[in-house]
Amino acid sequence: MASETIVSFQHVSMQFPGVLANHDVSLDIRKGEVFALVGENGAGKSTLMNILYGMNTPTSGKVFIKDQEMKSFSPSEAISRGVGMVHQHFMLVPSFTVAQNIVLGREPKKSALYDFRKAKAITENLVEEYGLQVNAMDKVADISVGLQQRVEILKTLHRGADILILDEPTAVLTPQETEELFSVIRRIVQEKQMTIIIITHKLYEVMAISDRVGVMRGGKLVAVENTADVNERILASMMVGRDVLLGQLDRNDPDVTDNEPAIVIDDLHVADTRGLPAVRGLNLTLHRGEILGIAGIEGNGQSELIEAITGMRGYTKGSVTINGKSIAGMNAGQVRALGVAHVPEDRLATGVSPAADVTDNLIVGKEKLPRFSLFKTHLKKRAIRQYAREISEKFDIRGAGIDTTVGSLSGGNMQKVVVAREFSFETPVLVISQPTRGVDIGAMEAIHQLIMDKRNAGCAILLVSADLDELYRLSDRLLTIYEGRITGEFTPETIAKTEISYYMTGGQKEAEA
């Protein structure tokens, strides 16, 4: 185990208007270790790491990097000291190639002109040195999220980082991509003696990859432990200040008076943004009072399916009927009017307005209700603000007040805003994608029970998740999808998680006699 301290926080506090994000944090991080930083949404993890990366200047306290105190706080200063950070939401130029993104800001020149050949060579050398396989000449817009993350890491390494902060690095990765990332982390820590700091909510990943773990709660560092000395249950309890373990949900007989289907899809064909087939002849039926889970490796048509159902994308063939009405030609607003609420997979792109405050994001879709407007033209601001306070408290949106811009919230609290708004609609159909992505274990427990409460009340729920544990825990039925086709239908009790992957990768379930 490495023992040399490479980063030291000494009595660091960070005060934002109305929020003490970090309170008297003292922490030493060692050279050549993988250090995991865990805590609930709003616990102060990202704020503390943003201080280390120079994005925040602490209100009080000192930060030392390699025994040198940071006097000025800026990303350029942190980078010059060997600190790099890969954020949850990547900072890449989609229209640029991989190589162009990696050398961005440090472009090689030849006779005062951009040297494309040198940029390509730099990228290929980094790929070989660190084992992060990616094609230097691919356009970033055309590669997977997992490969985009590799580009972000390589860009950081190109800047000379030997202290690498990864903020929720596996939130958008498949299990295979996660294991590949962990293999790279293990190798560069061992071979390069780099220090890796991982901000995460996934406790099983903490156990799998870290040497030590720090637990934050309410802005304070409440514990630092050797990972070998703790387990998931202990860490979860430290995070939330009480015993937490995702156990049995309150699953009751649904409150339904008939068994009429809420969604019927027949021979659906949907193209992706490039015009290529993404959903190919898909059929499914969702009934009231059930949760129908869609299990598949990301990129197999789930996104296009959900966009077609919710009116965000047209379809080229087939039919979609919601509550007995065809949605052919309808837009998202018209589909919502049929009684559909939607938690989208990408909260930042389609779930929230980052520049708007919490209040405005929570009230979207309800502005013209008599409770909140006069004659549908004049907003009742006092009633709206009171509603926002009630919903924020009910759904435990932390880290800010109702006037805070949503873009400044942590990823988990941003997700809570989306869930709070959509679950507050009294709709008979709920379409949910990745409901707990980037959410801590306490919030996950609460969101899962909210989903189950909706199901128990008779709501029809279509659930897409990359987390098999989540699908098994919530679903009444499971459909597997591969290349836009349904490959099998199961109940969670009839197939093991290790077996269902066969159908997620193209295996076909034989028709029952």
Side-chain angles (χ1 to χ4, degrees), residues 360-482:
D360 287 343
N361 274 275
L362 289 175
I363 204 67
V364 169
K366 300 183 176 72
E367 306 94 331
K368 294 184 179 181
L369 294 178
R371 177 181 174 184
F372 303 125
S373 69
L374 188 65
F375 307 120
K376 298 184 180 182
T377 56
H378 294 80
L379 295 177
K380 299 178 181 178
K381 294 186 178 180
R382 182 177 298 178
I384 289 172
R385 290 178 63 81
Q386 180 60 33
Y387 171 79
R389 290 190 192 96
E390 292 171 0
I391 295 299
S392 292
E393 184 175 343
K394 177 180 177 181
F395 287 87
D396 195 25
I397 299 169
R398 301 183 185 180
I402 60 173
D403 297 319
T404 303
T405 57
V406 167
S408 67
L409 297 179
S410 68
N413 277 299
M414 203 181 293
Q415 182 73 2
K416 288 182 183 178
V417 170
V418 180
V419 170
R421 182 188 65 235
E422 297 302 310
F423 280 38
S424 297
F425 286 102
E426 296 300 322
T427 58
V429 179
L430 186 55
V431 179
I432 309 174
S433 293
Q434 319 300 345
T436 58
R437 175 172 279 171
V439 167
D440 61 69
I441 192 168
M444 183 184 298
E445 181 185 45
I447 290 173
H448 283 182
Q449 189 56 58
L450 286 166
I451 292 172
M452 192 57 64
D453 290 344
K454 284 284 190 181
R455 174 256 188 205
N456 293 344
C459 188
I461 300 172
L462 185 64
L463 172 65
V464 173
S465 177
D467 187 340
L468 270 182
D469 290 331
E470 182 165 69
L471 288 171
Y472 268 74
R473 188 166 189 247
L474 292 170
S475 302
D476 296 295
R477 286 189 296 135
L478 282 168
L479 298 179
T480 51
I481 188 171
Y482 176 72

Side-chain angles (χ1 to χ4, degrees), residues 296-357:
I297 297 171
E298 290 193 55
N300 276 278
Q302 303 97 311
S303 298
E304 290 81 3
L305 170 64
I306 296 303
E307 289 173 0
I309 293 172
T310 55
M312 296 172 66
R313 180 184 296 270
Y315 48 91
T316 56
K317 183 182 177 184
S319 64
V320 179
T321 302
I322 298 178
N323 295 325
K325 296 182 179 179
S326 170
I327 68 165
M330 289 188 179
N331 59 33
Q334 292 168 321
V335 172
R336 180 178 285 273
L338 293 179
V340 179
H342 176 211
V343 177
E345 66 175 273
D346 189 336
R347 54 180 171 254
L348 194 62
T350 54
V352 297
S353 172
D357 61 26

